[in-house]
Amino acid sequence: MKVGRLLLRITVGGFFVGHGTQKLFGWFGGQGLAKQAEHFEGMGLKPGKLQAGAAGVAEAAGGAALAAGYQTPLASAAIISVMLTAINRVHLKNGPWAHKGGYEYNAVLIAAAASLAESGPGALSLDALRGKQKQGAKWSLFALGLGAAGAAGAHFLTEAQASKDVAPVEAQSNGVVSEPVVEVVIEADVAPVPEPEASPKVNGRKAADEAPVEVTEPEAAASPEAEADAEAETES
C-alpha cells in the first residue's frame, strides 16, 4: 500500500511536472509560454498567455506537490482542474476514446488524483512527515469540487474575453449609418434644335438632284422669202 501510493504519486505527479514546465519554460521539448499562449488562443482559451500560464503553474506545482505528497488535496485539485478544462475545451466533443481525441486519459488522471486525495499520500510523503496527512471521502470531494471550480473559472474567463472581443465589432457594425444616396438631376432649359426638313426623295435621291432642266430651243432663222415679204409690207 505504501509503495503503490508512492509509485502512483511519483508517476502522475512527475508527468504533470513535465507538462507544466513544457508550457512555462519550453523544457523537455516543449514550446514555451509564448508559443503555448498562441496554441491556447487557437483553442479559444483567451487571454492565451494567462490561460497557458495558469495551466502550466497548476500542472508543474500541482504535480510536484502530488509527487512529494505535500498538501495532497490541493495538489489533486490543481490537476483535476487542468484535466476538466482540457475535457471541456478540447476532448469532450470527440467522445471518450483516446484514439479519436477523446477524454478517457483525462478521466483516468482525474480518478487517480481524487483517489490519492481520499486515501492520503501514504507514509512516504511530506504530509506524513509533518504529521498533517489528510484522508477520507470528504477530501476527495473537496479536491473534485475545488478542481471543478477552477475549471469553471477558466471557462467563464474565456467566455468573458470572447464577449469583449465581439462587443467592439458589434458596436462598429451598429454605429455605421449608411447615408442615403441622393440622385440630383439637373434639367437645363435648352430649346430643342429643329431638325432640318428632309428633302423629298425620288428613288432614294433628293428631288432637287432629280429636278428636270428646261432647255429653251433657239428660234429658227427666217427664210429669205419671208424677209422680202416683210419688207414689202413695211414699204406699203
Side-chain angles (χ1 to χ4, degrees):
M1 186 68 174
K2 295 178 182 179
V3 176
R5 278 187 285 182
L6 176 62
L7 287 176
L8 183 60
R9 287 186 358 246
I10 291 175
T11 302
V12 175
F15 280 116
F16 269 100
V17 170
H19 281 294
T21 53
Q22 282 178 334
K23 290 181 176 67
L24 294 173
F25 312 117
W27 295 355
F28 308 110
Q31 296 178 327
L33 187 57
K35 291 290 186 181
Q36 199 65 42
E38 294 178 3
H39 179 63
F40 272 53
E41 291 270 351
M43 293 190 298
L45 287 165
K46 299 179 180 181
K49 192 171 184 178
L50 177 61
Q51 295 275 13
V57 169
E59 289 176 338
L66 191 68
Y70 179 73
Q71 296 288 350
T72 304
L74 291 176
S76 297
I79 290 173
I80 290 170
S81 174
V82 175
M83 291 298 97
L84 287 176
T85 300
I87 290 173
N88 178 41
R89 304 301 303 188
V90 180
H91 302 289
L92 186 62
K93 63 180 180 294
N94 299 323
W97 309 118
H99 73 282
K100 294 183 178 180
Y103 54 84
E104 65 170 315
Y105 177 62
N106 309 93
V108 170
L109 293 174
I110 290 171
S115 297
L116 287 172
E118 181 175 0
S119 64
L124 302 176
S125 65
L126 291 180
D127 283 345
L129 290 176
R130 294 165 57 242
K132 295 184 178 181
Q133 185 174 189
K134 298 179 177 64
Q135 58 187 13
K138 66 180 181 180
W139 293 109
S140 179
L141 294 174
F142 169 81
L144 287 169
L146 187 58
H155 174 75
F156 289 124
L157 178 61
T158 298
E159 295 300 316
Q161 185 64 38
S163 299
K164 289 180 180 179
D165 292 342
V166 171
V169 177
E170 291 182 347
Q172 183 178 2
S173 176
N174 295 333
V176 174
V177 179
S178 58
E179 297 181 357
V181 178
V182 180
E183 295 184 357
V184 179
V185 179
I186 301 176
E187 296 183 357
D189 295 333
V190 179
V193 179
E195 296 182 359
E197 295 182 359
S199 301
K201 294 184 178 181
V202 178
N203 295 329
R205 298 179 64 184
K206 294 183 180 180
D209 296 338
E210 298 293 330
V213 179
E214 294 182 0
V215 179
T216 304
E217 295 182 357
E219 295 180 358
S223 61
E225 292 81 1
E227 290 179 357
D229 292 339
E231 288 179 0
E233 289 178 0
T234 304
E235 291 178 357
S236 60

